[in-house]
Each structure stands twice: as structure tokens, then as C-alpha cells.
Amino acid sequence: MNWLYDSVEPRVMDEDMLKLAVGEQGPRDEAGQLARQEGILFKDVLSLRLDFQNILRIDNLWQFENLRKLQLDNNIIEKIEGLERLVHLVWLDLSFNNIEAIEGLDTLVNLEDLSLFNNRISKIDSLDALIKLQVLSLGNNEISHMMNIIYLRRFKDLRTLSLSGNPIAEEEDYKMFICAYLPDLVYLDFRRIDDHMKELAEIKHQYGIDELKQRENLIQAQLDDERAQREELEEHKAAFVEHLNGSFLFDSMYAEDVEGNKLAHLPGVSELLQAYKDKFVIICLNIFEYGLKQQEKRKVELDTFNECVQEAIQENREQGKRRIAKFEETHLLSLNAIRDESEVTNLEMKIAEHSKDITELFNMLMTLEMQLVEQLEETINMFERNIVDLVALFIENVQSLMAQCRDLENHHHEKLLEISINTLEKILKGELDEDLPYDVRALFVDKDTIVNAVGTSHDLHLLKIDNREDELVTRTNSWCSHLVDAIHKDEIMRNRRRVKEIHQYVDHVQNELDNLECSEIID
Amino acid sequence: MEVLKEKVEEEEEAEREEAAVRAERGEKVVRPMEVQREEAPMTQEMLRDLEKKLSDIEMAIPEKLSTFTKDTIDTSKLPLSYQSNTLKEEHLLQVADSFSRQYSHLCPDRVPLFLHPLNECEVPKFVSTTIRPTLMPYPELYNWDSCAQFVSDFLSMVPLPDPLKPPSHLYSPTTVLKYQEGNCFDFSTLLCSMLLGAGYDAYCVNGYGSQDMCQMDLTRDVCPLTVKHQEVVQEEEKVPPKKYAIKPPRDLTSRFQQEQETKKLEEIKAEEERQLREEEERLLDVEKAKTDPLHGLRVHSWVLVLSGKREVPESFFIDPFTARSYSTQDDHFLGIESLWNHKNYWVNMQDCWNCCKDLVFDLGDPVRWEYLLLGTEKSHLSLTEEEEDGLNDDDDVENLGKEDEDKSFDMPPSWVEQIEISPEAFETRCPNGKKVIQYKRAKLEKWAPYLNSNGLVCRLTTYEDLECTKTLEIKEWFQNREDMLELKHIDKSTGLNVDYFKPGHPQALRVHSYKSMQPETDRIMEFYDRARVDSLVKREETSKTMTEYYRGRSDFLSYRHVSFGDRVKKLSLNSAESNPRPIVKITERFARNPEQPADEDVAERVFLISEERVQLRYHCRDDHITASKREFLRRSEVDHKGNKIVMTPDMCISFEVEPMEHTKKLLYQYEAMMKLKNEEKLSRHQAWESELEVLEILKLREEEEEEHRLTISIYDTKRNEKSKEYREAMERVMHEEHLRQVEAQLDYLAPFLAQLPPSEKMTRWQAMRVKDECLSDFKQRLIDKANLIQARFEKETQELQKKQQWYQENQVTLTVEDEDLYLSYCSQAMFRIRILEQRLNRHKELAPLKYLALEEKLYKDPRLVEFMKVFV
């Protein structure tokens, strides 16, 4: 074989080559004549064969957007590349090339049949995106490690596999191992796997498989958990109350609060803190539940609105369809009548009559559409009012709850200040029994210092609460305005489309009539 | 062995001959009867069994009983309880008598009570004991309507001997069932027995009914089968208007005008209604019968079912003649004297001036209902008991006997035998399997299944006029037809025939309506589409068109309409098959294929074959009101210069809702056209095949109508010829096997071997002796037999001589009849003597041969053979 490659220069996939191939493989006979007249666009091509072309580098294939089948076998390709745009590809043949690694297939999610026969591949990987893979041909390669098989377990649809001619095929356990670890496989190396074989393999490798399965299940369960959590969080975010179902906010208040943490060591403060936390969390939970409830309400509101609008549109559409169907009947009849008419005066009269009909249809359809627009506008406005009210109510209530939080904080602050000043007095008098850590004791030098420290902590807490509130309010408001905007926009788009459609149809009908007239006159 | 067989045969023969002789003598074969009578008191069961068998025989060959009187009933065969009263029953009768006396004393102006009529054996029996609650073994007879229908079908009605009085006799339900005839009291007693057995709270009623009811005259009633079920219009649930429902556009029409319109319409309607009413009244006048002079005096008996048990929500009457249920307020029931069930007897003490409309059926109320027996009184007043009743509902049937024992200490158990209906009788239903009922403007005929060779079981003829002369329509119901025909509806006024089929017709036919069986005429065929490969639901035909409807096809075809042109006259006049009509136009409609975009999913395809045009209409997109269209012209394949034109833009006119790039291309259009060309060919072929299929179905239908074969279930052992044959063959084989076994067991040496001492081994001498004894024994038998024949021969001869002597002595005084008798006796005697002589001669001839045969056999006997060998 080598002399062939040596003697011929590698070729480049240029436009001429592709055109030639498309032309050769395109339709034949009369259809081919037509095709030649019009020329074939690359994006209309579904199947392309480029074998024995001495291609070294895959290139210039980006125009073939709709390609389903691509054959690039018996070339001298060394690297899989340039196939990113061919997302509809189902069948890819890259056999008899010089490929060393599997790569560049990450966008081909529709691929079902992949052939990499007779290459230099030593490792099976980078196939993760190919979830629909059914046939995989990897014979005559350099795969030497059995563990490559386990990688193939992720392809649930894989039925046919060929690996003969690889170093692993030499191993005595080769068949058994594959049958055991890929139980859904039907054909191996072009032969059907019989049930007996399957059973034997399963028994033989039972331990290994069980272990593997256990591990896979664990990973799967973990993934499921994570997903569930993520979904829950998404839901909460949609209700704008994420992380409010616990002490998250409270914890975040103290996370950056150095002074607050220091002051917690004072006698009596820890109990105070605990009580404060409990109360705070209860309010947070209230906000959370209220948020979820409001979210539900909003959803119901939106659903009813959508349903009603859809119903109205459907109803209107049915009416329109009926009108058109009725018109088409008369249209056909009168066209025929006009065609058969010979007398000029009658002809003109009929034509005039028919154009009147067309105008009438146009007016009717337009009236219908305008009616719908008016009705929808009214409904949309009503919905807008309601949803804005809902959101305002929600915000108001949340704000009042947040105010409660602030009150708590203020209360706590006063208490803490009292305790701190008491402690300071005790320290000054030297009556303090307990041992305080050094850095805490450092705060109690004079009154200003301690008041400042407590004040800083208090300010920080208030800031956190304010931030959370602001975030909630802004997000809610923006959601609301986005929603309303989208609804308006959709309605406008719908209206535009319908008007365009009506115009188009009426123009078409009018054209038909005009064409008829022209031909009459010519006759 | 053969010798013995022959011997047995001969003896049998002799017996037969004797029987023949006896029969000829005109002597009745009384022996079995005597035996039976002797055994009667001992084994009641056997008697019943026999009785049942006898009754079966009678079912098989139903004889016409013109009158149903006591004479025709063979009372001798009835069990003892029918023929006499027990002590308890006597006591009950006394109680009843005293009750009756008191009653007539207290209410002298009322009719004497119907308490203890005579039964078929002329024994007075209390009415309650005549009821025998029985649950029938047929699941069909578990509900009251089917029970009543069965009773009304099974018995033929005999009017009361005196329509103003209750009958003097009340026969047991078993007798009534046997003879399939009865008056209203028999009907209601039987029905009541069945209903009580099935757990209903049923009562026999003695009262007064209208003339129509008493005489089972249905000619003024509308046939229940003709009454069309009024379709219950389901009130559409009004959906509350949704929050965001759009407001309807403003109505700009004048309200005043609308009001005027409606007023006008109402006036017209009122006028029409008035006319209709007048017409109806006129008709009613015509129909109204002459008033009955005996109105309110005619005695009738029916069944009352009280609410409570078996989930009966409301009390109602059942007329046992017609099996119809009536409300207790119905006009046909004019009054109630008394009512009874198997436990007690109640006399109505309420006034019946307003028919039965004011009656209260609270049997626990002693003011309204006077009970006969205290113990079994059933209180409907107390709630607790009723609940208990409800609880015991299910076990009621089982507890019937028990309850009789512990509750009703006074009411003896029924004297009637268990009511039994044989499966044959149950299937045959009507007497002779046929029944005709005349309704108002309708006639209903019923037959037992398999009675008619074409499977006809029911025919309803409706008439236009009251005199039943002008037929309006005929409905015929069929059963067990091999072609699954179920109902044939012939409308005489329009000439339209509609055949309805059950699932299972070879062509999956469901309904076939036609005016004539000629092809290419108006007809509609409906099919069971799931049973057909092509999912055809309906095919409508007129002389010029054929329309087919499909459902659930994988190619989404739902409709195909083919219009035909006039048939081109060919030189040779061929049949329709070889000269199909030219197809002018094929219209096909498709349902939406959800996998394809609407713009590429064809909704309607019209092949205008004569104009060489194809029109395509696509489905409408979800949010659009217009659909794409495309029209292909195939006119010019070759242009005026003779060059072949492949495709030109004017060959395809299309309107697209959203124009796309690739569809504008000629190549695309060309490919689409090529595809359509093929599809047109296919569609034409389909149309042609459909036509063929119609012809085939018509042919098949005609054949079926001519043959009308019936199917027989494999479980039907009586009718299934094949299985019957098989079974009989099996039985025969079994019988033969049995005979052989018996023969094999019959050991002619056994008695002689038994005489030997039970030693281990037989000596030669012993063997010889056994053989000799056996032979001599056989010889003796042969001689005995000869002697027996001889003796009989001599006896006959002597008798004949005696007779002859007597004749000669009295020859002068004899009458002609006696002489005839004598002469016939002589000839018979001579015949017997001759037979005996023949037999004797034959015996003499055969005896030595038989003897030799036995000897031969003995030589070969395995037990003796070893000794004989040496001997021989």
C-alpha cells in the first residue's frame, strides 16, 4: 500500500474537489439535468463520499450543514478536525486513515455509526458527547488495555462493536470480558453473541461487575441528589427567598463580624445570642414560606392568563380558518367561471365581483384580527395590573417582616450594649471574676472603645439585612417588569405575523386573479 | 368362549322374542311399572329421578295439550307430600279455617279468602306452602326481570275458569312447569318461588286487575322494543368564566328586532303544537277501548316486590303474564284482597276505592294488613329489625329452611318438590320454542335458538295502522350465525335494509345498509376497523362515487373519495370486473402527522386524473390561518418542437405561507412530482381494489344468506355433532372394552378348579378330571336346554289343542268377535310352535359342534395344556 501514498501527493480539500464529488454523487438523469441547471448548494447535501482522495487534512466542510453521512475512508488523515459544524451527522466513516487519537467529535451528538477501523488509536476516549452511538468499529488499531472497555459502558444504545486486530483481542479473556461488561451488546466483531456466552461471561465476571455497578450507582445517586438540590434552589430563587429557610442570613451576619464574635465571650451574651438567633430564624422562615406561597399565587395567575389568551387566540384562529375555507370554495368556482367566460362585458363584471370578494375577505380577516388585538390588550392590561399589585403586596409584606428583623437587631444591640457597659464597669472596678481572652479584654479599655465596637457590629448586621432586602425587592421588580414586557412584545409579534400572513394570502389570491386576466387578454 | 357368547345371545334372543310375543298379545308391559310402584315408598329419590327423566322425554317430543285439567295429570306418580297432608299441615288448615270464619263474620260483605285451594291430587293445601323458594342454578335467573321474563316465556297462559273468582285448584309449581301451562295464580306462584329463592322480598297477590291485564291482551300497549331510548342529553357543565377570559365583541344587533323574531317563532310553534295535540287526541279516541262491564271485578294474581332486599329501592308490582314491572300506583291494578309469601298470609284491610294508589305496603301494620300467623309477623315498623334483615340478606337463601324451623313455628315447610328446570327446557323457553305476542301496531315473535335453520330467534314487525295490515318495518334478531349476523332491519317504507353484525365476520363487516344487492348502487358498509389491515371504518357508495373513511392508519390517511365517470363502451360486453369504470377524481385527506412540520405534511391530495392535475393542500400551522397549497400540471411532457420537457417553473404553482428557499428549486418540485405520480398510481390501484372488495363482500353475503350455517359451541354437547359422534364412539369403545374384560374374566374352569383342594400343583389325574367334569357339565346344560325347549313346545301344543277342543265344543254359540279372537290366537300359537320347533332343530344341530368346540378349547387351555400334551 505504501507505494500508493508515496507516489501521490497529499491533496487539499478545496472547493473544486467538493463540487466534483457533489456533482458526481448528486441526482442522475432528468433530475441531474435539472440539478446541473440550478446548481446544488452544499447545505442541501445529505450524503458525501470522499474516499481514496489522499486527503491529509479535513477542511472546508463547514458549508455542509445538513450532512447526514460522511465517508472519508482510505485517506491519509492524521487528525480528526473540522467536523464541528456537521451537527446532524449520523454516519461517519474514518476507516483506513492514520488517526492516532479520538478527538474533535464533541459536537456530533446525533452520531450513531462511527467507524475508525484500521487506524493507530491506542485509547478509547473523547466520545462522551455521542450519546446515540449504536455502532462502533475500532478494529485494527492499537488498543492494548482492557480498561478501555469499561469506558464504553456509558453508551446505552451501543449494540455493535468491533475490536478485532487490536492487541487486546489477543488476550484469552477478551470475549468474556467484553460480554460481561457490555451486557447490551448484540454483535461483537461482526458476530452475534449467543445467550450461552453471555451467561457464562456474567458468571465469570460477576464480582467485578457487581462492584462496578455499585460504584456507578453511588455516583448516579450522588448526581441525582445534587440535581435535586439544585432544582430546589432554583425554585426558591424563582420565589426570591433562597437561603431564607434557615439560619443562613443570621450566620452571614456574624461571618464577617469580628467584634460581635469577640463580644460573644462576655458573660450572658451567649444566651442572649441564642435567643436572638432563634427569633431571627423564625422570622426568616416566615419570609420564606410567605415567599413560596406568593410564588404559587403568581404562577396560578400567570397560568390562567396564558390559558385564557391561548383560548382566545385559538378561537379567533378557527374563525379565520372558517372564513378562508368558505372563501376558497367560492374562489375556485369563480376562477373557473371567469376562465370559461367569453364575453368581455360579463368577464369584466365577474372579475370586478371577485375582486370585491377578495377585498371583503381581507376586511373580514383584518376586522377579526383587530378585534382580537383589542380584546387581548384589555386582558393584558388587567393582568398587568394584577401582577403588579401582587408583587407590590409581596414586597410590602416582606419589608414589614424585614423590619421585624431590624427591630430584633436593635433590641439585641441595646442588650449587648448594656451588658458590655456593665462588664466595663466591673472590669474598671476590678470585680470581674471570669477570665476573658486577651483580645476581648483589649476592647474594655474605655467606654468609647466598647461602644464603638458594639456599634460596628450592629451596623454590620443592619447592612446585611438591608442588602438582602434590597436584593429581594430589585429582583422581584425586575422579574415583574420583564414578564410584562415579554407579554406585550409577544402580542405585538403575534399581531405582526398575522397581519403579514393575511396580506400575503390576499396578495396571492389577487395575483391568481390578475394572472388569469393577463392570460385572458393575451388570448 | 364363542360358544358361550352365542349362548348368551341366544338367551337374549329368546327374551326378545318373548317380549315380542307378549306385545303382540296386546298385553301391556306392566312389569316396570309394578316394580316402580313397589319401590316408591322406599326410594323417593329414584322416583323423582325417573319422574324427571320422564318429563324430559316429554320435553323432547312436546305433545299438544289442548286442555290443562286434572285428567291429564298423572297424579299417581306424584310424591306422597302431594297426595296427603301432614299433621302440621292439617293443623294449619284448621287455623286457616277458623281465620276464614272469623273474617267472614267480621267482614260479611267481602269475598271469601283464597286460602287453601285444592292441588292436583285434590288435596287442600295452604297457599303459602305452595310457594317453594328456589334459587335457580342459572346465573341468568338471578335478577327479577330475567326471572319474570322466563316465567312469562316458559308458560302459556290459560284464562281463569271463572274470571270473577279465584280458581278452585292451585297446582304445584313443579306440575305447572312440567305442563308449561297455567293461570295467573300458577304464574305468580312460580315467579314468587323463584324471586324468594333469589333473595327478593316477594309476595303473591290476589286482587283485581284490568281486562287487558287479566286476559294478557297487549294490543293496546306499545311494544317495549319499539320504544326508542330517549337519549339523555348530558348537561354540559358550565365552566365558570375564567378570570382573564376575553370579553365578547360588542353585539350591535337590535334587540327589538330579535324580540319580534322570537315572538313570531313562538306563535308558529304554538300553532304546530296545537295541531299535534289535536291529532293525538283524535288517535287516542280511536284507540280507546270500550269500557269493560266487569271492570274491577276481574280476579288477577300478580307479584309484589317490596323494597329493602336485594337493593330494591322502591316497591313494585310484576305482572307475571307480561313480565313487566309496574309502580304500585299503576292503573291496571284495581284492588288487593290478600297477599302471601312462604311464611305468612296477609289480608288487605284498606279501602281500594282508588285502585291501589293509596295502599300502604307496611305489612307490620296490623290495622292495614290482617295477618294470619302471629309468629312470622314481620315488622316493617321497627328499624332495628330491618337492619338485621339487611345484614342477613346474603344468607337468606341458605337460611330459608332454618328460618322455617325456628321462626315460623306454625307454617309448615312447603309440600312442593324442589323446582327444577332442565337445561334443555331453559334453553327452549317457550312452549314448543315459539311464542307470538301482539302489541299495539307491532307483532313480536320469539323462537328458541337453533329452532330455525337460519338462526332467527326474534322478529318484530311494526305496522302503520292499528289493524296490523300495512307493514312499516321488520326487525329480525339472529343468534349463533356463522356469519355473525345479529340483526336485520328492513324498512318497508324506504326499502332500506340494514344488517348488523357482531365482531367476527370474515370481512370484519359491522353494518351493511343497502337497497339492493346489485353492485354500484347506494350502500353503506361499516367495518370493525381494528380487525382490518387497512383500518377501514366505513365505505359509502353511490352509483358514481365511493367514499372511504379510515381511522388510525400509520400513513395518516383518513378519507378517500373516488368519483367515477361513465363506463367506456367496449365492443365485447364484459362484466364490471374486466371493464372498470374510469376514475375521474380521487380526493384523499390525511390527518396531521406530528413528526413532520406542517408545511410538509399534506392535508388533502386531489388527483384530477382527466385533467392531469394534482392539487395539494398542506396542514395549517398551529398559529396560522392559511395553509400552503401546491398544484402540479402534467400537461406538457413534450413541447411543440418535440423536445422533451423535464420541468418548467409553470408546471408547479404554489402558495407558501412562509416561503422557503429549497422548495423553489425545480429539482425539489420535480422530485415531488415524481413521487406524486407513483402515489397516484397506487391510489388508483387502491380504488380498484376497493371496488373488487365490494363485489367480493356482496358475493359472500349472498352465499351466507343462502347457506345460513349456524355455529355450535364446543361446549354444547347436545348439538355439536362432531363431539357427539366422538363421544359416542368413545363410549362404544369403552363398552366393548368392558365386555371383553368381562368375558376374559369369565372362566369356564373356575367352578371346577375351585372344587380341587387348594394344593400347590395340579396332578395329571386331577386335570383330566377337571376336563371331564367340565365337558359333562356342558353336555348336561345342552341337554337341559333342549329339554326346556321341548317342554315349552309341548306346553304350547297342549294349550293349542285345548283351545281347539274348546272351540269345537262351543263353536255354535260363539260370537263373531270370539271367533276372530280364537283364530288370531291360533295363528299366533302356531307361529310360536313353529319358532320353538325351529329352535329345537337348530339346537340339535349345533349342540355337538359346540361340545366339540369346548373340548378343543379345553385342550388348549393354558392350565391344562401340559397335562394334555402327553395325553395326546
Side-chain angles (χ1 to χ4, degrees), chain B residues 208-213 221 302 326 329-335:
Chain B
Y208 304 97
S210 64
Q211 189 184 12
D212 291 350
M213 183 152 286
D221 284 343
W302 64 91
Y326 296 89
Q329 269 98 40
D330 199 88
D331 286 328
H332 285 96
F333 302 96
L334 304 172

Side-chain angles (χ1 to χ4, degrees), chain A residues 30-31 34 38-39 301 307-308 311-312 317 324 328 371 375 378-379 382-383 386 498 501 504 508, chain B residues 242-247 249 621-626 629 644 646 655-657 659 665-667 670:
Chain A
E30 290 158 18
L34 281 175
E38 294 185 309
E301 198 80 7
E307 203 179 318
C308 290
E311 264 173 31
R317 180 175 162 245
I324 288 178
E328 278 200 349
Q371 208 176 36
Q375 286 167 337
E378 202 175 327
T379 310
M382 193 162 82
F383 173 73
N386 285 347
R498 175 57 49 86
E501 192 188 342
Q504 207 177 338
H508 168 75
Chain B
K242 284 179 195 141
K243 201 171 169 188
Y244 295 110
I246 52 157
K247 292 187 183 72
R621 280 201 203 180
D622 279 346
D623 50 350
H624 281 64
I625 50 173
T626 54
K629 282 186 293 188
K644 202 174 172 191
V646 178
F655 163 69
E656 281 170 24
V657 176
K665 290 212 164 191
L666 276 179
L667 180 63
Y670 175 76

